[in-house]
Amino acid sequence: MSNKAQSPRGGWRWALTAAFMSLAVASWTGCSDGGSNTTGGDGGSGATGGSGGPGGAGGAGGGDACPSGQTDCNGTCTLTNIDPANCGACGKACAEGEVCAAGECGLTCSGGTTNCAGKCVDTTIDPENCGMCGTACAEGEVCSGGKCGTQCVGGTTNCDGQCVDTTLDPANCGMCGTACAAGEVCANGQCGLACVGGTTNCNGKCVDITIDALNCGMCGTACPAGQACSNGQCATQCVGGTTNCNGKCVDTTIDPLNCGMCGTTCAAGQVCANGSCGLACVGGTTNCNGKCVDTTLDPLNCGMCGTACANGQVCSNGMCQLACVGGTANCNGKCIDLSLDPLNCGACGAACAFGEVCTAGKCQLNCVGQTTKCGALCVDVKTDTANCGMCGKACAAGQVCSNGTCQLTCVGGSTKCGNECVDTETDPTNCGMCGKNCAAGQVCAAGQCNLNCVGGTVKCANTCVDTKSDPGNCGACGNVCGAGQVCTNGQCAAQCGPGTTKCGNVCVDTKLDPSNCGACGNACAAGQVCSNGTCGNTCAAGTTKCGTECVDLQTDEANCGMCDTACLASIACYAGVCQPPGGCDTLGDCGTCQQCSFDGICSDELATCANDPTCVTLFNCLNPASGVCDANCQNMCVQQTTQMAIDEYNNIIECLFCQECGTSCGVDPVANGCPASCDNNAQGCSGCYACAAGMGGNCEDDLAICLANPECIALDDCLVACPPGDQQCQINCEQAHVFGIADYNAIVLCGFYQECPNDCLGP
């Protein structure tokens, strides 16, 4: 039996807050008629002896209206946004030396336009100044992508000598010559009263104000010369992996006008996929009007090309709806994964600096958590169809990326949902089956949508992770291991712990991992399981097939006693039963009871000691290989260590023998200095909890961990402010303070499960 180290204990108590009572939280105007009326002609003179002829009839009024976007100024149709003689309005002339840009007179052109003989023009499409001022295209040629040619490229269409985007040009909406009526805009090739898909009506055009240099952040805000519009702000440098091409921040992996690099335009009929021009889109994207788009999240092409979501709606999982699902967030009309989007990293609008990537919701130089840096994104090359096995290797249309190989079916126990192989046990957008989205605030655990994680996993953002092995959340949410490191037993290290193997940067058990069965990269076929390092249809003796894994129902916390019966976090599974606090004592055998406690209820105390070398030394000293440490031995061990190590060691002993295994191990609580039970406190539940959590109480170490985590304190404060029974308020608190949930749950489980079930009516 282990001995409790003796030391003086403090006497303060921590006041209970009401939060712990909730248990664990797991204007565009059309142009006027530009025609003029003609006067009648004079009558002809009469011949000799004859009368004069009648006067000519007056010409009919009206004439042809100016094209959409142009204004009639004294009988001439002009573009008032660039005409220095009529800048912003007819007759408003710019001073000598000034140019007209975005309808405003100034000394320089803005928004990526160029001063050519006093006019600010877009040299990418102007046939009189194609590529540079004065370079005119030959008769019959058009200017597309800054180059003269016989055909328009990049999904644009030749309309009267200009290459235009018929998806948004109000003068050529859907097809050349189809002009929208006054007050209408062109959105997704159709005239309507409002812009859709997160775009904004700026002077009759639906534009993306996050990247439009003429309307950056808001309509009419043009960026100065040399700057580009990135994430709705004018800047000298593009962010989030985009590239400044002639004043516009573009994604060169998909932009057909700048494919792979600025100025490289794809030929007619080609698309830009993964930075290369080709005849077809790859990686599960779809060719919509010359661009490869993801129809699962593009609000202009939601589910299929041309299906635009209405204003206020987003495209989530290929369907237009009012809210994003599966843990994504609505950022300017698009459902974004804030954990990996470099333009919205951790929060909408939080763009990473040039060269950085977004991983686990934080901008940094290196990718973590089994992901690889490909361009500006951290991707899982085992499942990403655009980067399958290695960056830039895209799978063909109809194929999926499974375990780093392009193929027609998924392997390793994953399921094909759309064009991706997903784990339906944990994927919140395909939970239990393809297309089943978990609601906001929920996670997918064991194929079921829940508010809290089960089976020993922890809720980090919108995903249940094993903090013992996840390098992006090692030991705690947001604790990222460095490049080349792995997470083993909740600690970042260069090598994996006993029984696991390093595959990529994840430690896996090759005896049962269907994606790495027997060896890294050896994936089992669909429907097979990995048992004892061999792929097969059945599990080895002593294990049971649960989903795609062979598990021991006697000890597996996610499948305790039977498949999908998961134990709560910090609760151990022994003998096929989720053992509640104190439940390990019923196992009878002292050694089994101790092991049950270490793996379950006392795991956080044990981990705290394991992080302190002096506590480990004290533990080994008091528990020699011989199993005997007498009074002299105990005194020697205590004299050689620190007070912190003594306190940490005592926390283990209090949890192990005072709370869990007193009966099984024959411990006399009084003789061994166990703290008196806090339950049945004269002051009721609040007094009991204060006793349990205070200095010297059985939940002291859990409280100390929470107090050291600002997010845990913030979560507590947030929950205190929630009205009683307001579940939505509690969910909002969880979402706002994700990285405090695990530590908060630990102290609540300790207090209510172990210490105050009678006073507080806990489980």
Side-chain angles (χ1 to χ4, degrees):
M1 183 186 78
S2 300
N3 296 289
K4 179 176 179 180
Q6 300 300 312
S7 65
R9 308 306 294 259
W12 64 274
R13 294 290 185 267
W14 190 57
L16 171 71
T17 65
F20 290 119
M21 297 298 295
S22 65
L23 293 183
V25 296
S27 67
W28 175 86
T29 303
C31 299
S32 62
D33 188 347
S36 58
N37 293 328
T38 58
T39 59
D42 295 332
S45 59
T48 303
S51 59
D64 292 334
C66 289
S68 178
Q70 298 187 30
T71 303
D72 178 9
C73 292
N74 297 325
T76 303
C77 294
T78 184
L79 293 169
T80 57
N81 63 327
I82 63 171
D83 186 357
N86 302 277
C87 189
C90 294
K92 182 183 175 182
C94 296
E96 187 176 354
E98 289 186 326
V99 292
C100 182
E104 296 287 341
C105 294
L107 294 175
T108 59
C109 294
S110 60
T113 57
T114 304
N115 184 347
C116 293
K119 285 188 177 182
C120 293
V121 300
D122 185 348
T123 57
T124 63
I125 61 172
D126 188 352
E128 299 298 322
N129 302 277
C130 190
M132 61 186 296
C133 294
T135 302
C137 295
E139 186 175 356
E141 288 188 325
V142 291
C143 182
S144 184
K147 295 180 179 179
C148 294
T150 57
Q151 289 182 314
C152 295
V153 296
T156 56
T157 303
N158 184 347
C159 292
D160 293 329
Q162 282 201 332
C163 293
V164 299
D165 187 347
T166 57
T167 64
L168 53 84
D169 187 355
N172 303 278
C173 190
M175 60 186 296
C176 295
T178 301
C180 296
E184 289 187 327
V185 292
C186 182
N188 204 40
Q190 292 187 338
C191 295
L193 295 175
C195 295
V196 296
T199 56
T200 303
N201 182 348
C202 292
N203 200 31
K205 284 190 176 182
C206 293
V207 299
D208 185 349
I209 59 175
T210 64
I211 60 172
D212 191 329
L214 291 175
N215 304 278
C216 190
M218 60 186 296
C219 295
T221 301
C223 296
Q227 290 191 344
C229 183
S230 182
N231 204 41
Q233 293 186 339
C234 294
T236 56
Q237 202 171 39
C238 295
V239 296
T242 55
T243 303
N244 187 341
C245 293
N246 200 30
K248 288 185 179 180
C249 290
V250 300
D251 185 348
T252 57
T253 63
I254 61 172
D255 187 354
L257 293 177
N258 303 277
C259 191
M261 61 186 296
C262 294
T264 301
T265 57
C266 295
Q270 289 188 325
V271 291
C272 182
N274 208 38
S276 298
C277 294
L279 295 174
C281 294
V282 295
T285 56
T286 303
N287 183 348
C288 292
N289 202 33
K291 284 190 176 181
C292 294
V293 301
D294 186 348
T295 57
T296 64
L297 54 84
D298 187 351
L300 292 176
N301 304 278
C302 189
M304 61 185 295
C305 295
T307 301
C309 296
N311 241 8
Q313 289 188 325
V314 291
C315 182
S316 184
N317 206 37
M319 297 180 66
C320 293
Q321 41 202 10
L322 293 174
C324 296
V325 295
T328 56
N330 184 345
C331 293
N332 200 34
K334 288 187 177 181
C335 290
I336 301 297
D337 186 346
L338 301 180
S339 66
L340 54 82
D341 188 344
L343 290 176
N344 304 277
C345 190
C348 293
C352 296
F354 191 77
E356 288 187 326
V357 290
C358 181
T359 176
K362 295 181 180 180
C363 295
Q364 48 197 35
L365 293 174
N366 296 310
C367 295
V368 296
Q370 203 174 353
T371 57
T372 301
K373 184 178 179 182
C374 293
L377 292 176
C378 290
V379 301
D380 186 348
V381 294
K382 288 186 176 181
T383 60
D384 187 30
T385 50
N387 303 277
C388 189
M390 61 186 295
C391 294
K393 182 184 177 183
C395 296
Q399 289 187 325
V400 291
C401 181
S402 185
N403 206 41
T405 304
C406 293
Q407 44 201 4
L408 294 174
T409 58
C410 297
V411 297
S414 56
T415 302
K416 183 179 180 181
C417 293
N419 66 300
E420 288 186 327
C421 293
V422 302
D423 185 352
T424 56
E425 293 287 291
T426 59
D427 188 347
T429 59
N430 303 279
C431 190
M433 61 187 294
C434 295
K436 182 182 177 182
N437 290 282
C438 293
Q442 291 186 326
V443 290
C444 183
Q448 297 289 326
C449 294
N450 299 293
L451 289 174
N452 296 302
C453 296
V454 295
T457 57
V458 175
K459 183 179 180 182
C460 294
N462 68 301
T463 304
C464 293
V465 301
D466 185 351
T467 56
K468 292 181 180 179
S469 60
D470 187 349
N473 303 277
C474 190
C477 294
N479 185 34
V480 179
C481 294
Q485 288 188 320
V486 291
C487 182
T488 177
N489 200 31
Q491 298 288 318
C492 293
Q495 295 180 330
C496 293
T500 58
T501 302
K502 183 178 180 182
C503 293
N505 68 325
V506 177
C507 295
V508 301
D509 186 349
T510 57
K511 290 184 178 180
L512 53 84
D513 186 354
S515 294
N516 303 277
C517 189
C520 294
N522 183 34
C524 297
Q528 288 189 324
V529 291
C530 181
S531 182
N532 203 29
T534 303
C535 294
N537 295 319
T538 58
C539 295
T543 60
T544 302
K545 183 179 179 181
C546 291
T548 59
E549 291 189 347
C550 294
V551 301
D552 185 350
L553 299 180
Q554 297 296 299
T555 59
D556 190 86
E557 294 175 0
N559 304 276
C560 190
M562 61 187 297
C563 294
D564 296 331
T565 299
C567 301
L568 285 173
S570 298
I571 302 296
C573 177
Y574 264 79
V577 177
C578 292
Q579 301 291 350
C584 295
D585 209 356
T586 62
L587 297 176
D589 177 75
C590 181
T592 305
C593 184
Q594 289 187 52
Q595 190 62 47
C596 170
S597 301
F598 277 153
D599 288 348
I601 305 302
C602 303
S603 58
D604 54 336
E605 286 90 350
L606 186 65
T608 301
C609 180
N611 289 330
D612 183 355
T614 56
C615 182
V616 174
T617 300
L618 176 61
F619 192 100
N620 293 333
C621 182
L622 292 170
N623 298 273
S626 63
V628 178
C629 184
D630 57 21
N632 291 331
C633 169
Q634 294 176 28
N635 290 333
M636 178 196 70
C637 294
V638 170
Q639 291 171 0
Q640 292 177 346
T641 191
T642 65
Q643 183 63 45
M644 179 179 291
I646 294 173
D647 290 341
E648 291 172 348
Y649 179 83
N650 282 344
N651 285 334
I652 296 177
I653 301 306
E654 288 173 3
C655 180
L656 183 62
F657 293 106
C658 299
Q659 294 176 317
E660 296 304 310
C661 302
T663 303
S664 291
C665 297
V667 175
D668 184 338
V670 176
N672 285 272
C674 289
S677 173
C678 291
D679 216 343
N680 298 316
N681 191 281
Q683 296 177 334
C685 184
S686 61
C688 180
Y689 207 100
C691 168
M695 184 67 74
N698 290 337
C699 305
E700 174 194 355
D701 56 332
D702 303 282
L703 172 62
I705 293 172
C706 180
L707 291 175
N709 182 357
E711 279 292 280
C712 184
I713 300 301
L715 176 60
D716 175 35
D717 293 339
C718 183
L719 291 170
V720 168
C722 287
D726 191 338
Q727 187 178 35
Q728 186 57 51
C729 178
Q730 296 176 16
I731 292 174
N732 293 340
C733 291
E734 291 183 60
Q735 293 175 330
H737 305 288
V738 172
F739 298 139
I741 293 176
D743 293 339
Y744 180 91
N745 279 351
I747 185 172
V748 175
L749 285 170
C750 180
F752 284 94
Y753 275 74
Q754 293 179 316
E755 294 304 306
C756 305
N758 293 333
D759 281 333
C760 300
L761 302 179

